[in-house]
Each structure stands twice: as structure tokens, then as C-alpha cells.
């Protein structure tokens, strides 16, 4: 099982970006999915999460600006980021709880490789 993230880059303050993260492998089911971020000198923090039923939660610093969504048929989670601020600069990681053939169907937690977001003028 792999999680492949894409969509990072450089954006000016106030701009928008959309991240995608696709799961691949022999997957039986995907439960919770989410995005975390790590900035220099800071602990990794939860940005947003979404259950397989579509319930969402957000970190306080991104509420009202970021939107998480998922397409179960494509095994993909998205993060739409609007009104980006320099404080959003970080490496963003996707995360998912997945049941696959890799561990006899047991639910395991997986991380994507990280994608850099830089918000700067």
C-alpha cells in the first residue's frame, strides 16, 4: 500500500492550492483519511481529517479556509486550501487507515511522502 501526494508548490499569500493523495495497492477498505503538516521548529499537527462517512474536522488555524474531501471510488483524499498565509508554509503529509492484503486485512496506518507548501511573496 502506498499513499502518493501531489499538488504542492509556491503560492503567494491569499492564494489557493489543492492537494491530492491517492492510495494504491490491494486495498479492501479505507477508513479515516487526513492531512498533517510539519513546519520547521514545530510539532507535526493535524490539518484536517475525514471519516469514510464524510464527517470532517479541522485544526483551529485552518477552519474556514481549508476544505477536506474524498472520492472513495478513486481512493483519494483532497485538501483545498484557500486564503493561504505564510504561516501555512510546511511539509504536508497525507495519512490514512487502510485495510489491505498487506497485513492479512488488518487495519494499518499509512503516511504519504510529504509535499512542500511555501506561501511567500
Amino acid at each position: 500500500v502506498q499513499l502518493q501526494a501531489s499538488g504542492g508548490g509556491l503560492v503567494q499569500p491569499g492564494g489557493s492550492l489543492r492537494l491530492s493523495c491517492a492510495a494504491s495497492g490491494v486495498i479492501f477498505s479505507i477508513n479515516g483519511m487526513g492531512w498533517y503538516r510539519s513546519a520547521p521548529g514545530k510539532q507535526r499537527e493535524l490539518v484536517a481529517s475525514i471519516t469514510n462517512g464524510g464527517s470532517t474536522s479541522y485544526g483551529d488555524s485552518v477552519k474556514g479556509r481549508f476544505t477536506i474531501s474524498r472520492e472513495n471510488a478513486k481512493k483519494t483524499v483532497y485538501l483545498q486550501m484557500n486564503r493561504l498565509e505564510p504561516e501555512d508554509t510546511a511539509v504536508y503529509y497525507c495519512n490514512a487507515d487502510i485495510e489491505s492484503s498487506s497485513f492479512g486485512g488488518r487495519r494499518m496506518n499509512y503516511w504519504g511522502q510529504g509535499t512542500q507548501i511555501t506561501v511567500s511573496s
Side-chain angles (χ1 to χ4, degrees), residues 59-115:
D60 288 341
S61 62
V62 306
K63 284 180 181 177
R65 300 188 297 122
F66 291 10
T67 302
I68 190 170
S69 60
R70 62 191 284 173
E71 281 190 79
N72 291 331
K74 293 185 177 181
K75 303 183 181 67
T76 300
V77 62
Y78 306 97
L79 185 67
Q80 178 65 44
M81 302 181 291
N82 298 328
R83 292 185 281 133
L84 283 158
E85 303 169 354
E87 292 73 24
D88 296 316
T89 296
V91 178
Y92 285 69
Y93 299 89
C94 59
N95 178 272
D97 289 326
I98 298 174
E99 297 169 2
S100 73
S101 64
S102 299
F103 294 93
R106 283 185 295 161
R107 182 179 301 183
M108 302 294 289
N109 186 257
Y110 293 88
W111 290 92
Q113 83 281 12
T115 185

Side-chain angles (χ1 to χ4, degrees), residues 14-93:
S16 298
L17 279 176
R18 188 192 195 206
L19 301 181
S20 300
C21 178
S24 61
V26 182
I27 293 171
F28 301 149
S29 67
I30 302 177
N31 300 285
M33 305 183 83
W35 291 94
Y36 290 74
R37 66 186 182 186
S38 292
K42 295 183 179 180
Q43 287 188 324
R44 183 174 294 189
E45 64 173 347
L46 173 67
V47 176
S49 65
I50 184 168
T51 68
N52 56 3
S55 297
T56 60
S57 63
Y58 296 91
D60 288 341
S61 62
V62 306
K63 284 180 181 177
R65 300 188 297 122
F66 291 10
T67 302
I68 190 170
S69 60
R70 62 191 284 173
E71 281 190 79
N72 291 331
K74 293 185 177 181
K75 303 183 181 67
T76 300
V77 62
Y78 306 97
L79 185 67
Q80 178 65 44
M81 302 181 291
N82 298 328
R83 292 185 281 133
L84 283 158
E85 303 169 354
E87 292 73 24
D88 296 316
T89 296
V91 178
Y92 285 69
Y93 299 89

